[in-house]
Amino acid sequence: MIKKTFKWLGFLLLTAIVIGGSFAAYEWNADKPLRFRSFVDREVLKMAFESPETLTSLGFLESLGITGHNAKLDDASLAKADELFIKLKEVHKTLSYYENDNLSKEDLLSKEIALYLLDFAKNSEQFRYHNYPVNQLFGIQNGYPSFMEAQHQINSTDDVENYLSRLELIKIKFTQELEGIKLREAKGIIPPLFVIERVLEEMNTLVDKPIKENILYTSLAKKMTDSGNIDNAEQADLLAKAKVNIAEYVHPAYKLLINYFTNLQSKATTDDGFWRLPNGEEAYENSLKFFTTTDYTPQYIHDLGIKEVNRIQTEIMTILAEQSYDVSQGFSDAIEKLAAQESFYYEDSDAGRAKILVDYQKILDEIDAGLDSAFRIRPEAGMEVVRIPEFKEKTAPGAYYQQPAIDGSRPGRFFANLYDIKATPKYSMRTLAYHEGIPGHHFQIAVAMELEGLPLFRMFSPFTAYVEGWALYSEYLAWEMGFQDDPFDNIGRLQAELFRAVRLVVDTGIHYKKWTREQAIDYMKVNTGMAQSDVVSEIERYIVMPGQATSYKVGMMKILELREKAKTALGDKFDLRDFHDVVLKNGAVPLNILERFIDDYIAQTLKK
């Protein structure tokens, strides 16, 4: 259904532009469109049209012959951010004018979800600067080259000219980003020292590298060659222009941030939690509420994590004992012995890393062919496994999923981090593939994008507890269905769940209980047995993304709780396919709304 959504968006836009005075034009321009769906889609589209980078990522205008946005970058100024908050309040006001009695069941749900998000945005405005826009995980310094490499398509010389234009504009955007970072400094919101050290290392590495080895250069060269539409002489000329633009615009932009963060180091501390910031404790509680879509307190989440850590470790130790491992010295010792076995790892070479990608794809193809007993609803979009770009894999997470293009031109992608070969034991690969790919993120996110009649904003609703809870639930589901019958694969699954339970402890430990970075690293290392490089990367992630890591386990436990609730109530009438239909067919939602869906499903099924 991705293409149907794409056609609807194109129709709404083109008819508004071309057919002046028509119903579609009225819906586009009216203060309160007649159709509720027209209003919510229109507002998302208008916001998207003010973000050239979003339009490039969505990829639906190119098929209409509209490409001018691909020559521009987003406005990252403080004034533009102020405009957004004003706009959201205006949207909230207009939404209230749509009477519930006049809306369909589907539109009522969309209104409820929209108001949930808008109310949260209004209440969170006081914390809008409680973040670190440039950090070791994300920010303009790595987001810009990643965007240009992954999203900017090259099929013609015009596309290359647009690419070159974006190289020229980068210094303006960096300057705008710096404006917001300086305001945060004035408010006492300064990143921890290690964050500054990481981003300086990353930016200096990019600037110091020869231009012909810069990802902005190499990516363009590869895309032009792959397009098959640009002759060699023209490619050489365009690459020469790109080299000049990188030297004259890109490098100076990076040096702006390098100089700023170099000077900022003397003001930074080694305290890492949000508790140290002005109103930091309130900001953290707000972040937990956003990511979990619950009112759980930091203390409750911390205690829940400790309980789950103990339970899961006991299960792992039982399996290890059954496999004749010595568990007498405790969990950490037993896991280290398991992790030390060379037979569980690929060769530390380019060939070994290539084999990992091939084997990931085999795992996904296998489970994709064996899910008919559990799913009716499936995405049309395909998916592929690719390596996280090497320039950022050192500080990147172990893996992540990238949604398909809305017009179907790009499949969903499972990005695997292959920096540290010891971070990819063979017994963990199935679990990671099920989480990021099938039936995890790919099924949930791609299905949401393809649902017919779903407003655009609900295709990308930022309800992390639902999204990540589903992916973690998918790991458990795959084990239930027999795809991890090897006991070591099951240990890999349990280690992944343990990892998420530990997150509950360390995230709240850092931001609520005032743990140091080193305390959190030690706790995670001892209680998971993960590779040291992964532990450090993860703890540093939680420091710059407070609360996000708690959403996985909270969401998974809620989905399992609701499934058990439905099983108990329905008995023989329970069908796993029906349950998954209910969970997936409405896109991402807050957990309390998901529970209402399941309650309705139970009531309706009992009536049959």
Side-chain angles (χ1 to χ4, degrees):
M1 299 300 174
I2 285 178
K3 292 182 179 178
K4 290 186 178 180
T5 301
F6 153 67
K7 290 178 180 177
W8 157 250
L9 296 175
F11 171 78
L12 184 63
L13 169 63
L14 288 181
T15 50
I17 294 173
V18 176
I19 313 174
S22 70
F23 173 72
Y26 174 82
E27 295 289 86
W28 183 262
N29 295 301
D31 290 338
K32 177 179 176 284
L34 296 176
R35 293 181 60 201
F36 174 83
R37 168 80 187 277
S38 295
F39 173 66
V40 292
D41 276 347
R42 182 194 75 178
E43 293 309 307
V44 172
L45 275 174
K46 285 185 175 181
M47 290 181 189
F49 290 140
E50 294 184 2
S51 169
E53 295 169 36
T54 298
L55 293 176
T56 297
S57 297
L58 290 174
F60 69 89
L61 288 178
E62 286 75 7
S63 298
L64 301 172
I66 301 172
T67 61
H69 55 283
N70 292 326
K72 303 173 185 177
L73 294 173
D74 288 356
D75 182 344
S77 67
L78 288 173
K80 189 66 177 178
D82 290 340
E83 286 179 16
L84 175 61
F85 278 98
I86 293 170
K87 179 62 178 177
L88 292 177
K89 291 170 186 174
E90 293 172 351
V91 171
H92 191 292
K93 183 178 179 181
T94 303
L95 271 176
S96 67
Y97 293 151
Y98 286 92
E99 298 289 343
N100 290 351
D101 292 344
N102 297 328
L103 298 178
S104 67
K105 181 179 178 181
E106 291 76 16
D107 285 345
L108 270 173
L109 177 59
S110 293
K111 179 183 176 183
E112 179 182 4
I113 294 173
L115 288 174
Y116 181 100
L117 291 169
L118 291 166
D119 285 338
F120 194 88
K122 180 181 178 181
N123 295 332
S124 301
E125 188 174 358
Q126 60 183 312
F127 304 119
R128 61 185 284 195
Y129 300 114
H130 279 74
N131 53 50
Y132 313 124
V134 171
N135 61 67
Q136 81 282 3
L137 282 185
F138 55 84
I140 193 171
Q141 85 288 354
N142 55 32
Y144 171 71
S146 294
F147 167 77
M148 296 293 281
E149 189 273 337
Q151 307 292 341
H152 190 113
Q153 296 186 29
I154 300 294
N155 297 304
S156 67
T157 54
D158 285 344
D159 293 334
V160 180
E161 293 294 341
N162 288 337
Y163 189 99
L164 295 174
S165 174
R166 279 178 160 163
L167 293 179
E168 290 184 18
L169 293 173
I170 191 56
K171 189 173 181 180
I172 295 174
K173 185 168 180 180
F174 270 58
T175 301
Q176 292 171 335
E177 289 279 2
L178 189 53
E179 177 187 14
I181 296 169
K182 288 180 177 179
L183 178 60
R184 287 170 174 81
E185 179 190 349
K187 292 178 177 291
I189 300 173
I190 297 173
L193 181 59
F194 84 85
V195 174
I196 297 174
E197 292 172 345
R198 294 281 191 278
V199 297
L200 281 173
E201 179 185 3
E202 180 183 34
M203 291 189 291
N204 279 311
T205 298
L206 185 143
V207 171
D208 292 342
K209 183 176 292 188
I211 289 178
K212 288 189 176 181
E213 296 177 19
N214 188 304
I215 188 173
L216 294 167
Y217 184 95
T218 58
S219 172
L220 175 61
K222 183 178 186 302
K223 288 179 182 180
M224 285 196 293
T225 300
D226 291 348
S227 74
N229 298 323
I230 305 172
D231 63 48
N232 291 338
E234 195 165 16
Q235 285 188 41
D237 181 57
L238 292 167
L239 282 173
K241 292 180 181 179
K243 185 177 179 182
V244 170
N245 284 3
I246 291 171
E248 294 186 357
Y249 300 102
V250 175
H251 282 179
Y254 275 84
K255 287 174 182 176
L256 280 175
L257 286 184
I258 289 170
N259 291 337
Y260 172 77
F261 279 107
T262 298
N263 293 328
L264 189 64
Q265 286 182 100
S266 62
K267 298 182 180 181
T269 71
T270 55
D271 291 331
D272 300 309
F274 251 39
W275 56 266
R276 70 188 174 87
L277 303 179
N279 299 317
E281 292 181 355
E282 294 89 343
Y284 180 56
E285 289 177 4
N286 186 70
S287 187
L288 285 177
K289 184 173 183 179
F290 175 74
F291 284 116
T292 67
T293 63
T294 71
D295 291 320
Y296 295 165
T297 66
Q299 187 64 55
Y300 174 82
I301 292 173
H302 191 82
D303 293 342
L304 178 65
I306 291 173
K307 179 181 176 181
E308 284 294 287
V309 167
N310 292 334
R311 175 187 66 80
I312 299 167
Q313 285 182 348
T314 299
E315 290 190 36
I316 292 173
M317 293 288 273
T318 299
I319 298 173
L320 287 173
E322 290 172 349
Q323 297 302 312
S324 301
Y325 279 75
D326 180 6
V327 297
S328 62
Q329 300 303 309
F331 179 80
S332 181
D333 178 76
I335 288 297
E336 285 185 8
K337 289 176 180 175
L338 177 72
Q341 288 186 231
E342 290 297 327
S343 59
F344 286 130
Y345 299 99
Y346 289 79
E347 179 182 292
D348 192 356
S349 65
D350 289 343
R353 286 171 171 81
K355 185 68 164 57
I356 290 174
L357 297 178
V358 170
D359 287 351
Y360 269 133
Q361 193 65 56
K362 288 180 180 177
I363 290 168
L364 290 167
D365 291 343
E366 175 196 40
I367 195 168
D368 191 36
L371 289 176
D372 288 347
S373 64
F375 290 91
R376 292 190 184 91
I377 189 168
R378 284 171 174 259
E380 294 178 2
M383 77 159 297
E384 62 184 5
V385 182
V386 296
R387 181 177 181 175
I388 289 177
E390 292 181 50
F391 84 95
K392 66 174 184 177
E393 65 183 358
K394 184 176 180 180
T395 57
Y400 58 85
Y401 174 77
Q402 181 188 76
Q403 65 200 30
I406 199 168
D407 66 350
S409 62
R410 184 186 68 247
R413 286 174 176 161
F414 160 26
F415 282 86
N417 193 331
L418 305 183
Y419 174 73
D420 181 356
I421 206 75
K422 294 292 187 181
T424 311
K426 295 176 182 178
Y427 56 79
S428 73
M429 289 175 62
R430 285 183 172 272
T431 294
L432 189 58
Y434 302 147
H435 180 104
E436 300 295 345
I438 298 170
H441 284 320
H442 183 60
F443 263 38
Q444 184 268 309
I445 293 172
V447 162
M449 292 177 68
E450 296 171 9
L451 288 170
E452 192 168 7
L454 200 67
L456 185 60
F457 83 92
R458 287 182 53 198
M459 295 180 187
F460 311 103
S461 295
F463 297 118
T464 315
Y466 172 97
V467 173
E468 296 295 352
W470 170 263
L472 188 52
Y473 165 78
S474 294
E475 300 174 15
Y476 182 84
L477 176 67
W479 170 71
E480 282 186 312
M481 296 184 68
F483 289 100
Q484 292 162 304
D485 55 357
D486 185 299
F488 292 104
D489 285 338
N490 192 28
I491 288 176
R493 175 190 71 82
L494 287 166
Q495 276 191 290
E497 187 180 359
L498 175 63
F499 167 41
R500 277 45 175 251
V502 166
R503 282 175 160 181
L504 301 180
V505 181
V506 295
D507 196 285
T508 51
I510 292 165
H511 297 291
Y512 172 65
K513 290 185 170 291
K514 303 184 180 181
W515 286 12
T516 65
R517 170 178 170 274
E518 289 69 28
Q519 278 179 278
I521 289 171
D522 289 345
Y523 181 91
M524 175 167 268
K525 176 63 178 172
V526 168
N527 284 286
T528 64
M530 291 168 55
Q532 180 72 13
S533 62
D534 274 359
V535 171
V536 172
S537 178
E538 287 294 327
I539 294 301
E540 293 180 350
R541 166 187 171 180
Y542 312 151
I543 290 170
V544 301
M545 298 177 66
Q548 192 270 352
T550 67
S551 58
Y552 298 66
K553 197 70 169 66
V554 169
M556 176 210 191
M557 293 179 75
K558 189 64 176 182
I559 292 172
L560 283 171
E561 172 195 317
L562 294 176
R563 193 180 75 172
E564 190 59 33
K565 182 180 185 179
K567 277 185 173 182
T568 301
L570 297 178
D572 292 342
K573 290 186 176 182
F574 178 82
D575 188 320
L576 186 58
R577 295 170 300 175
D578 293 337
F579 176 80
H580 289 156
D581 276 356
V582 175
V583 174
L584 293 175
K585 71 179 182 180
N586 289 292
V589 295
L591 295 181
N592 65 317
I593 293 180
L594 179 62
E595 183 162 13
R596 193 174 74 216
F597 292 160
I598 300 303
D599 288 342
D600 290 345
Y601 152 65
I602 291 171
Q604 292 169 13
T605 305
L606 287 173
K607 290 179 182 178
K608 294 179 182 178

